[in-house]
Amino acid sequence: QVQLVESGGGLVQAGESLRLSCKASGSIFNIMGWYRQAPGKKRELVATITVGSITNYADSVEGRFTISRDHAKNTVYLQMNSLKPEDTAVYYCTAKFGIGTRDYWGQGTQVTVSS
């Protein structure tokens, strides 16, 4: 049974940092990543990473966020630096076996950045 469990969200002030973690169980995924959804907005891509460590970032987080994965722990991380109030959202971990295959989702973790 596939399961994605996120942790690490919280309330911080603008300019501070947070690290999100997502532990996968039940399978090894080729692509893992993070999406976020702010109130009243569509869910949007934040970053993805392949099993070969190829990364992709949204323009809005490029240079501030870093995605990484630990294959031994089957865990993906999102290091978020220089956080801004507009980064406030529920962050969802996602995983898939490959392009065109179904997405698996975590339950989401709240990140709130105060100004």
Side-chain angles (χ1 to χ4, degrees):
Q1 181 179 356
V2 173
Q3 194 172 18
L4 302 175
V5 179
E6 301 118 330
S7 61
L11 171 63
V12 297
Q13 293 188 333
E16 294 184 341
S17 299
L18 275 176
R19 189 176 83 152
L20 305 182
S21 300
C22 172
K23 181 171 178 57
S25 59
S27 192
I28 302 294
F29 296 97
N30 184 36
I31 303 170
M32 298 187 73
W34 295 91
Y35 279 69
R36 67 186 181 187
Q37 187 166 19
K41 295 189 177 181
K42 293 182 179 179
R43 191 173 296 190
E44 63 176 5
L45 171 72
V46 176
T48 59
I49 185 167
T50 69
V51 69
S53 297
I54 297 173
T55 58
N56 179 52
Y57 295 94
D59 290 343
S60 59
V61 306
E62 183 87 53
R64 299 188 298 122
F65 291 11
T66 302
I67 190 169
S68 61
R69 62 192 293 177
D70 183 328
H71 296 294
K73 296 180 179 179
N74 206 9
T75 298
V76 64
Y77 304 97
L78 185 68
Q79 178 66 42
M80 304 185 293
N81 298 330
S82 302
L83 282 161
K84 304 176 181 180
E86 51 263 45
D87 294 317
T88 295
V90 177
Y91 284 70
Y92 296 92
C93 177
T94 184
K96 60 196 304 177
F97 293 108
I99 296 173
T101 63
R102 65 159 290 182
D103 294 292
Y104 293 89
W105 296 94
Q107 80 284 359
T109 185
Q110 177 70 47
V111 172
T112 302
V113 184
S114 64
S115 57

